[in-house]
């Protein structure tokens, strides 16, 4: 048993974080966390605290760090508005299964419920969007709460936890000894693998003529990327990914057919609809993936493998559910799996790929060479940056073009806000990602709208000399909303046009070099400058104002009812 030492509650918190391996955290100080920050001053050589410019920036940075590293991200904010400013990121992390430990300050326990200055009931507010939350009211609770919080955040299906610490608990004396949490009664994060079901799955895959693997983020969270590729290779089964599953398989893999859903690749969506067996691994069949459920994969039996039992059968019928860790399941499923030729099935994928080249990709280039398309900009970035780069996107058209035209050979390379679709996510998440993987190139791809939601985080980049590369695709619109207004609301562009500031001057004010380009002839050189910059750099690419993301499955339509730029 660890030897106890007499410390203040704030010390107990920081020593607990260190015991959990935390060496970086993102935050913003305020009245009810001053004791923590006062003690943090003495831990500066052990915990690197990154001062963001807004609490939302802190939680998104923690998300980016977690997604890039696989570790739990940590952020801290004061009570009241500081805590409520974390809410969007916490909800985002919950939907995207991101492990976070969010620490908030709170008024002294004697003042709880009195509407004291900056008091807010953050426990009630975050209950629906956390795996677990807890209010600490005495110093003796701090170490056990942190231990439990990290265990819950990282185990099973990961997610965010909130630990709210009253001010008195931060200043009280406590006998400190840290004991990591190794398990909790009535909480089984990793289910026991059902080997009989595994055998049945193998039989079904061997018997299928047109099987398709659907890989979600659960593959990455389980560290199952290698097992997934091996399973596909052994059985000669094509793979599609969800948006969140992108980079769980190399985009250059011969069996990879693209990502599925509303703006998915034609081969992925068409094969889904023509498949006789879908093997869904670590994904939740969201509405943006399935389109109209009635018309989804009409001839397919569905195998659904997920570590979260609640997801099995929640959104879609399931012929064979398997509650399991993705890596354990895929490793077990390799046994007995047979190589089937499936030449006709794979040839169909190749035909759809050619169809996409002709009907979609070729049409993203202006034949007159007057304007740059978003597809061109993302493709140019991928070509220059290489397939090991980390692409962090904001939300909207920039996100969908990045999903469609980026290329990856390394895992944890595509970071985006999937379930909640949070504009403003891109820049702070890229900061966190770069702090987590400093040896990799990290690019934030954003629209002009999303960038302006959190562009104050340029100050974080400046103060900490963080080498994030930024690509702004500027169409002077809230592009995705404008696309819907064009296609489904008779071009009534209601409050989606933006009059933008000079982004290059703004970057310059923060000491960040940049460049603005608007013609295709400038693009290659400008992207090369972005990629080759030693530190941070901002490239603004002026793109066609009314460019749309195609193909598109309209809301309420089936996956094979896409519309095209025709």
């Amino acid at each position: 048993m660890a030897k106890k030492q007499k410390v203040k509650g704030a010390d107990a918190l920081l020593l607990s974080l260190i015991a959990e391996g935390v060496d970086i955290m993102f935050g913003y100080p305020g009245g009810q966390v001053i004791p923590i920050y006062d003690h943090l001053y003495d831990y500066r050589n052990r915990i690197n605290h990154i001062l963001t410019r807004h609490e939302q920036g802190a939680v998104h940075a923690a998300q980016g760090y977690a997604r890039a590293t696989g570790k739990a991200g940590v952020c801290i904010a004061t009570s009241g508005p500081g805590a409520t400013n974390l809410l969007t990121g916490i909800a985002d992390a919950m939907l995207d299964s991101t492990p976070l430990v969010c620490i908030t300050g709170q008024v002294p326990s004697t003042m709880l419920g009195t509407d004291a200055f900056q008091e807010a009931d953050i426990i009630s507010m975050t209950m629906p969007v956390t795996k677990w939350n807890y209010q600490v009211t005495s110093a003796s609770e701090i170490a056990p709460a942190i231990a439990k919080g990290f265990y819950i955040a990282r185990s099973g299906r990961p997610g965010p936890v909130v630990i709210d610490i009253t001010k008195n608990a931060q200043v009280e004396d406590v006998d400190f000894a840290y004991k990591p949490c190794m398990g909790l009664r009535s909480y089984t994060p990793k289910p026991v693998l059902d080997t009989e079901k595994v055998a049945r799955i193998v039989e079904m895959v061997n018997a299928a003529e047109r099987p398709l693997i659907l890989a979600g983020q659960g593959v990455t969270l389980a560290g199952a990327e290698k097992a997934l590729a091996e399973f596909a290779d052994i059985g000669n089964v094509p793979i599609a990914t969800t948006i969140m599953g992108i980079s769980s398989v190399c985009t250059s893999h011969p069996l990879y057919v693209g990502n599925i859903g509303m703006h998915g690749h034609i081969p992925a969506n068409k094969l889904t609809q023509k498949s006789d067996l879908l093997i869904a691994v670590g994904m939740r069949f969201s509405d943006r993936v399935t389109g109209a459920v009635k018309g989804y994969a009409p001839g397919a039996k569905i195998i659904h493998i997920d570590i979260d039992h609640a997801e099995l059968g929640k959104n879609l019928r399931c012929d064979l559910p398997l509650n399991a860790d993705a890596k354990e399941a895929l490793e077990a499923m390799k046994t007995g799996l047979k190589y089937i030729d499936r030449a006709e099935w794979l040839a169909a994928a190749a035909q759809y790929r050619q169809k996409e080249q002709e009907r979609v990709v070729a049409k993203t280039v202006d034949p007159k060479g007057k304007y740059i398309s978003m597809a061109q900009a993302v493709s140019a970035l991928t070509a220059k940056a290489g397939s090991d780069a980390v692409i962090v996107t904001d939300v909207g058209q920039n996100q969908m073009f990045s999903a469609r035209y980026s290329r990856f050979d390394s895992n944890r390379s595509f970071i985006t806000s999937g379930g909640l679709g949070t504009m403003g996510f891109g820049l702070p998440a890229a900061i966190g990602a770069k702090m987590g993987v400093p040896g990799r190139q990290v690019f934030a791809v954003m629209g002009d709208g999303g960038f302006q939601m959190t562009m104050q985080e340029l100050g974080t980049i400046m103060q900490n000399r963080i080498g994030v590369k930024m690509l702004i695709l500027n169409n002077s619109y809230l592009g995705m909303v404008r696309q819907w207004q064009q296609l489904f609301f008779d071009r009534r562009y209601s409050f989606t046009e933006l009059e933008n500031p000079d982004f290059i001057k703004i970057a310059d004010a923060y000491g960040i070099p940049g460049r603005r380009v608007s013609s295709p002839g400038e693009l290659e050189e400008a992207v090369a400058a972005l990629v080759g910059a030693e530190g941070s750099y901002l490239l603004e690419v002026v793109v066609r104002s009314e460019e749309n993301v195609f193909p598109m499955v309209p809301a309420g339509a089936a996956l094979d009812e896409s519309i095209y730029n025709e």
Side-chain angles (χ1 to χ4, degrees):
M1 181 176 289
K3 186 178 180 181
K4 292 184 178 181
Q5 54 181 314
K6 182 76 75 174
V7 299
K8 296 292 185 181
D11 286 306
L13 169 64
L14 297 169
L15 290 169
S16 297
L17 294 176
I18 291 168
E20 288 291 346
V22 175
D23 57 7
I24 187 167
M25 61 192 295
F26 306 88
Y28 203 97
Q32 302 302 340
V33 287
I34 288 178
I36 294 172
Y37 274 85
D38 180 60
H39 286 258
L40 185 58
Y41 190 86
D42 296 324
Y43 290 82
R44 288 173 296 169
N45 62 335
R46 302 176 72 180
I47 298 178
N48 183 14
H49 177 276
I50 302 299
L51 174 64
T52 57
R53 296 302 182 265
H54 193 285
E55 291 89 355
Q56 184 180 354
V59 66
H60 289 330
Q63 288 178 272
Y65 175 89
R67 297 272 293 280
T69 64
K71 303 176 183 178
V74 179
C75 61
I76 181 170
T78 192
S79 64
T84 59
N85 281 342
L86 298 179
L87 272 169
T88 295
I90 294 168
D92 192 291
M94 187 67 177
L95 280 172
D96 285 350
S97 305
T98 304
L100 292 184
V101 175
C102 305
I103 298 160
T104 56
Q106 187 53 271
V107 301
S109 57
T110 56
M111 300 179 71
L112 289 171
T114 67
D115 292 333
F117 178 66
Q118 291 191 335
E119 180 188 3
D121 185 358
I122 198 66
I123 294 299
S124 295
M125 291 181 194
T126 58
M127 191 172 291
V129 292
T130 52
K131 279 190 74 177
W132 180 71
N133 64 12
Y134 186 76
Q135 187 171 75
V136 171
T137 58
S138 69
S140 62
E141 299 175 282
I142 290 176
I146 292 295
K148 186 175 179 181
F150 272 90
Y151 177 72
I152 292 172
R154 292 187 295 218
S155 61
R157 180 179 180 176
V161 304
V162 167
I163 299 174
D164 191 46
I165 307 177
T166 59
K167 196 169 187 177
N168 63 286
Q170 300 168 36
V171 299
E172 291 171 357
D173 291 325
V174 63
D175 290 324
F176 173 79
Y178 195 73
K179 182 181 179 181
C181 181
M182 306 302 292
L184 295 169
R185 187 175 61 184
S186 76
Y187 173 57
T188 307
K190 184 182 286 190
V192 176
L193 187 64
D194 188 329
T195 55
E196 290 186 8
K197 283 190 175 182
V198 167
R200 286 169 55 195
I201 290 172
V202 172
E203 289 177 3
M204 292 171 72
V205 177
N206 287 338
E209 294 181 5
R210 301 180 305 281
L212 177 65
I213 299 167
L214 305 179
Q217 191 192 197
V219 171
T220 297
L221 296 174
E225 296 93 341
K226 183 180 177 184
L228 171 70
E230 290 174 348
F231 176 81
D233 287 336
I234 293 169
N236 199 29
V237 181
I239 312 168
T241 60
T242 65
I243 289 286
M244 296 296 292
I246 291 174
S247 83
S248 63
V249 59
C250 295
T251 48
S252 59
H253 193 290
L255 290 170
Y256 183 60
V257 297
N259 58 279
I260 51 178
M262 179 173 282
H263 293 289
H265 291 91
I266 293 175
N269 281 348
K270 289 292 187 181
L271 262 59
T272 297
Q273 294 301 87
K274 293 183 179 298
S275 173
D276 61 1
L277 179 67
L278 295 179
I279 308 107
V281 186
M283 51 92 77
R284 58 190 180 86
F285 287 112
S286 76
D287 57 300
R288 289 298 174 98
V289 162
T290 64
V293 173
K294 278 187 178 180
Y296 183 75
K301 291 184 177 179
I302 297 176
I303 295 165
H304 191 181
I305 303 167
D306 203 282
I307 199 165
D308 185 353
H309 190 274
E311 293 296 343
L312 301 175
K314 184 178 82 173
N315 295 331
L316 199 70
R317 64 174 179 83
C318 180
D319 296 281
L320 201 165
L322 177 61
N323 183 207
D325 173 83
K327 185 176 182 179
E328 284 188 3
L330 286 166
E331 290 286 359
M333 285 157 49
K334 291 189 297 184
T335 303
L337 192 64
K338 297 177 182 177
Y339 181 90
I340 309 295
D341 184 57
R342 298 192 175 100
E344 187 175 337
W345 183 227
L346 297 176
Q351 291 170 2
Y352 288 129
R353 193 175 291 113
Q354 181 60 34
K355 179 181 178 181
E356 180 159 83
Q357 181 65 35
E358 295 168 356
R359 297 188 69 179
V360 180
V361 179
K363 293 186 177 182
T364 61
V365 179
D366 177 19
K368 297 180 180 179
K370 291 184 177 180
Y371 64 80
I372 304 172
S373 71
M374 294 190 219
Q376 282 178 290
V378 172
S379 296
L381 175 61
T382 294
K384 292 288 184 184
S387 54
D388 186 54
V390 178
I391 303 294
V392 184
T393 82
D394 211 84
V395 167
Q397 290 181 319
N398 67 88
Q399 177 187 34
M400 294 300 113
F401 277 110
S402 295
R404 291 185 55 80
Y405 293 97
S406 297
R407 299 291 179 266
F408 304 105
D409 284 337
S410 300
N411 64 349
R412 295 190 177 274
S413 295
F414 186 74
I415 298 173
T416 195
S417 171
L420 198 63
T422 304
M423 288 181 68
F425 173 88
L427 183 58
I431 290 171
K434 183 62 178 177
M435 297 300 294
V437 288
R440 298 180 69 181
Q441 287 260 45
V442 175
F443 297 89
V445 180
M446 302 166 283
D448 45 316
F451 173 65
Q452 290 181 83
M453 284 194 168
T454 51
M455 68 181 180
Q456 71 273 8
E457 298 307 331
L458 292 175
T460 306
I461 291 174
M462 175 183 67
Q463 183 168 349
N464 295 279
R465 308 295 187 266
I466 303 170
V468 171
K469 313 293 180 66
M470 294 158 276
L471 174 62
I472 298 176
L473 303 176
N474 183 0
N475 58 9
S476 295
Y477 274 104
L478 300 175
M480 188 59 85
V481 181
R482 185 214 54 75
Q483 176 169 335
W484 281 60
Q485 289 174 335
Q486 176 186 335
L487 298 176
F488 310 116
F489 293 88
D490 298 324
R491 293 181 179 266
R492 290 162 58 87
Y493 295 165
S494 179
F495 302 101
T496 47
E497 187 171 5
L498 296 173
E499 184 174 334
N500 290 318
D502 188 327
F503 295 130
I504 305 306
K505 284 185 178 179
I506 290 173
D508 183 64
Y510 286 96
I512 298 171
R515 180 177 174 181
R516 183 177 193 261
V517 298
S518 58
S519 66
E522 303 173 286
L523 183 61
E524 186 174 350
E525 179 190 350
V527 170
L530 172 71
V531 173
E534 288 190 10
S536 56
Y537 191 96
L538 189 149
L539 174 61
E540 176 189 357
V541 179
V542 179
V543 296
R544 183 183 175 191
S545 61
E546 293 185 277
E547 182 181 2
N548 293 328
V549 188
F550 289 115
M552 179 181 185
V553 179
L559 286 189
D560 50 6
E561 296 175 329
S562 294
I563 57 177
Y564 299 89
N565 186 20
E566 296 174 340

